[in-house]
Amino acid sequence: MPPAQQRSETQARVDAWTWAVRLFKTRSDAAAACRAGHVRVNGVTAKPALTIRPGDEIRVRSGGLERIVVVERIIHKRVGAPVAAQCLIDRSPPPPPREVLATLPQRERGAGRPTKRERRETDRLMGRTD
């Protein structure tokens, strides 16, 4: 390989690394999340080709939750879950308890827009007044 195309063992693209350590299911999902602004490296919004190094903090927002990981080791290929766990330090906050999630109002799928009466009831539950 020409020198410009050789892989470095101390740095990698953020989209490839987040896919390799199983933060995303596919590499294209990782790249799309970067383009959408859901991935931040050391507090800065990351493009897919941003180079990361050991010690960088990566924040990934997906599924309504935020994952905070610190790069421990650089890998370029997707590996098994036990090996992937050794490549990062997970500093994510614990997910909210199920009791809290159960108290949030949810609508039936396909129920359409809330009626005026339902909206007023929701506002009352949330403590909003006009």
Side-chain angles (χ1 to χ4, degrees), residues 12-82:
R13 288 174 53 116
V14 68
D15 63 338
W17 188 83
T18 54
W19 164 76
V21 296
R22 299 172 172 261
L23 295 178
F24 291 101
K25 193 170 185 177
T26 65
R27 184 163 173 191
S28 60
D29 285 348
C34 290
R35 284 191 297 274
H38 299 300
V39 178
R40 297 175 74 82
V41 176
N42 297 326
V44 179
T45 303
K47 291 185 177 180
L50 181 75
T51 302
I52 59 167
R53 293 177 174 80
D56 286 347
E57 179 188 73
I58 299 177
R59 292 175 177 259
V60 176
R61 201 171 22 131
S62 67
L65 300 175
E66 185 175 43
R67 299 268 322 258
I68 303 169
V69 297
V70 176
V71 179
E72 184 73 15
R73 198 171 88 203
I74 298 294
I75 57 173
H76 298 281
K77 296 285 185 182
R78 194 167 173 98
V79 294

Side-chain angles (χ1 to χ4, degrees), residues 83-97:
V83 177
Q86 296 172 357
C87 297
L88 58 91
I89 300 170
D90 195 354
R91 294 193 176 152
S92 303

Side-chain angles (χ1 to χ4, degrees), residues 115-125 128:
T115 64
K116 193 177 222 180
R117 180 180 183 181
E118 290 170 335
R119 184 185 55 81
R120 287 181 180 151
E121 289 172 357
T122 304
D123 287 345
R124 226 182 337 253
L125 283 173
R128 292 181 273 196

